[in-house]
Amino acid sequence: MSFTPVQKINAYEIIVDQVEQAISDGTYGAGDRLPSERQLMADFGVSRATVREAMRVLQATGVIESRPGDPRGPVVTAFSPRVLEKSMAKLAQLDSVSRVELLQFRLLLEGHASLLAATERTDDELAEIARRGEDIADLADQPDVRFGERVNRFHQAIRRASHNQMLEICGNVVGGVMAEMIDRRLTSETDRSSRVRTSAHDARALVAAIRDGRAQEAAAISTGNIYRYYADDLSSEETRRLATMMESYGAQM
């Protein structure tokens, strides 16, 4: 029989967990005040330093707002998309998250964003998508200049046109990480200008599908474009793990 090592838990972490649970179960809601620092010290049986450390963590993660010296106690904040964005950004940058996991998530996000943009976009949003697509083509003769950033801005415009906050927030986080992957992938190309021109051609095809309201086709084009950019560099296992998603969108591999 083997035992699992005991993990040391600091007192402030227990306070953080209990406060978050109290908010989760509705004991405290947005705008409510937690007990004062002195009361929290008494309730938890801990020192002032421990309470302050717990409050610092809760404030850093956007759970509460606290002003130094305010005797009334910290205020529970309303949920902000920024809190989710910060948490996802940390997760996406972990070494434990593999390339294929990032690609799977990106296919999901961009496929659905393109599908929705084809039916939900405004004329102004379509114009912005088209402009960002042409920005990619402008780099055909200088492919080393922020190519990943240009691609990310193109997809940002599409996610915005989807009118879905969750797709936009999650996509913006993953897009920032993927911009670096895009640039790294481009460095391994023998003909970088050709690769950029292919991406520009793919972007124009996606713009046309979104413009014409061809939602399913837009999703297939978007996911197919992303997959093909990495296809030559994928292992057989990565290809296998991406195949099901590609098939679900009707995209060509």
Side-chain angles (χ1 to χ4, degrees):
M1 174 180 180
S2 60
F3 293 99
T4 301
V6 175
Q7 294 184 345
K8 181 180 179 181
I9 300 177
N10 293 315
Y12 79 86
E13 294 176 305
I14 297 175
I15 297 174
V16 169
D17 287 344
Q18 289 196 35
V19 170
E20 289 179 336
Q21 181 58 46
I23 294 171
S24 177
D25 65 23
T27 302
Y28 292 97
D32 292 343
R33 287 187 178 273
L34 297 180
S36 66
E37 182 180 274
R38 186 180 297 276
Q39 186 61 50
L40 289 172
M41 290 167 57
D43 289 345
F44 288 107
V46 296
S47 67
R48 177 176 283 107
T50 299
V51 169
R52 288 183 175 177
E53 179 63 14
M55 296 303 106
R56 184 192 67 77
V57 171
L58 289 167
Q59 182 158 327
T61 54
V63 176
I64 65 167
E65 289 182 359
S66 179
R67 296 180 180 178
D70 189 342
R72 296 174 297 171
V75 178
V76 176
T77 59
F79 174 77
S80 167
R82 179 61 183 158
V83 176
L84 173 62
E85 191 169 345
K86 287 170 66 176
S87 298
M88 281 199 63
K90 291 179 180 178
L91 174 62
Q93 293 169 357
L94 292 177
D95 291 338
S96 59
V97 178
S98 67
R99 178 173 71 165
V100 73
E101 288 174 312
L102 284 170
L103 284 171
Q104 285 174 327
F105 195 41
R106 189 174 181 215
L107 291 173
L108 176 68
L109 292 170
E110 310 302 7
H112 274 69
S114 297
L115 185 149
L116 289 174
T119 58
E120 302 297 327
R121 58 85 181 168
T122 65
D123 289 342
D124 287 344
E125 288 166 342
L126 176 63
E128 176 67 5
I129 292 169
R131 185 172 73 84
R132 293 300 186 185
E134 291 307 310
D135 285 347
I136 296 174
D138 291 343
L139 290 183
D141 296 324
Q142 45 178 346
D144 295 330
V145 183
R146 301 188 306 277
F147 179 63
E149 181 181 325
R150 295 280 181 101
V151 173
N152 187 34
R153 287 178 180 176
F154 173 61
H155 285 288
Q156 278 182 329
I158 294 172
R159 292 191 294 265
R160 195 173 300 118
S162 75
H163 295 188
N164 184 298
Q165 277 194 87
M166 296 302 294
L167 285 175
E168 189 172 357
I169 293 166
C170 296
N172 288 346
V173 173
V174 175
V177 176
M178 293 302 297
E180 297 179 11
M181 282 182 59
I182 290 169
D183 286 337
R184 286 198 301 271
R185 174 71 186 94
L186 191 61
T187 61
S188 65
E189 285 291 330
T190 55
D191 189 346
R192 299 179 190 178
S193 292
S194 176
R195 174 65 71 175
V196 173
R197 281 192 290 271
T198 297
S199 293
H201 176 271
D202 290 344
R204 288 180 178 132
L206 179 53
V207 171
I210 292 173
R211 180 194 62 221
D212 298 342
R214 292 177 275 126
Q216 293 294 338
E217 187 175 344
I221 292 172
S222 179
T223 51
N225 295 349
I226 293 168
Y227 173 82
R228 283 190 296 276
Y229 185 80
Y230 298 93
D232 295 343
D233 194 50
L234 296 173
S235 68
S236 57
E237 176 61 15
E238 287 175 321
T239 300
R240 184 193 66 78
R241 293 182 64 182
L242 293 173
T244 300
M245 294 192 69
M246 296 294 292
E247 291 170 6
S248 70
Y249 284 109
Q252 296 294 319
M253 295 182 66

